[in-house]
Amino acid sequence: MGNMVIAVYRPREGRASQLLELVREHVPALRKLGFATARAPLVMRAKDGSLVEIFEWVSAEAVEKAHHNPEVQMLWQGFEEVAEWTSLGSLEEAKTPFSHFELVEL
């Protein structure tokens, strides 16, 4: 059984389009390396411009292996250059029941 994750990326000033491109590459890259399942990711945009990405890891072991994989580390370094890692709870939408987000087409 897979391991679902919700990741939130807040774009740095002027870097929203670069962040979106990285998000589009993220799960396909993880999948190619055997870390993410074939389940399609869901990406949404919050009012503050943050992107919320929901995807499925193959397993907890895959998460651990990804954290030590040079290709994944290079990809995540790109994320750090264009965005701040943040939490779902930091979003205004998360403070109410039935949170609404804008769907982002991948």
Side-chain angles (χ1 to χ4, degrees):
M1 185 171 192
N3 185 334
M4 297 299 295
V5 66
I6 300 173
V8 181
Y9 319 108
R10 183 168 291 131
R12 298 188 190 284
E13 187 72 33
R15 308 300 288 270
S17 61
Q18 291 169 303
L19 173 59
L20 182 55
E21 286 307 311
L22 283 172
V23 169
R24 284 185 171 130
E25 298 171 11
H26 188 222
V27 172
L30 293 176
R31 193 177 291 135
K32 182 186 88 171
L33 295 166
F35 298 139
T37 69
R39 185 184 307 272
L42 180 63
V43 177
M44 303 172 292
R45 185 175 288 110
K47 290 177 193 171
D48 72 356
S50 294
L51 293 181
V52 178
E53 179 186 43
I54 303 171
F55 69 96
E56 185 178 29
W57 291 99
V58 169
S59 64
E61 294 78 22
V63 177
E64 182 64 28
K65 287 179 182 178
H67 280 84
H68 300 286
N69 181 285
E71 288 181 62
V72 175
Q73 291 304 304
M74 186 181 303
L75 179 62
W76 289 348
Q77 178 61 40
F79 273 88
E80 290 183 18
E81 292 172 11
V82 301
E84 170 192 351
W85 310 95
T86 189
S87 68
L88 186 60
S90 73
L91 301 177
E92 188 64 32
E93 291 85 347
K95 295 176 175 52
T96 62
F98 306 104
S99 303
H100 292 257
F101 296 89
E102 173 191 347
L103 182 63
V104 175
E105 294 295 330
L106 298 177

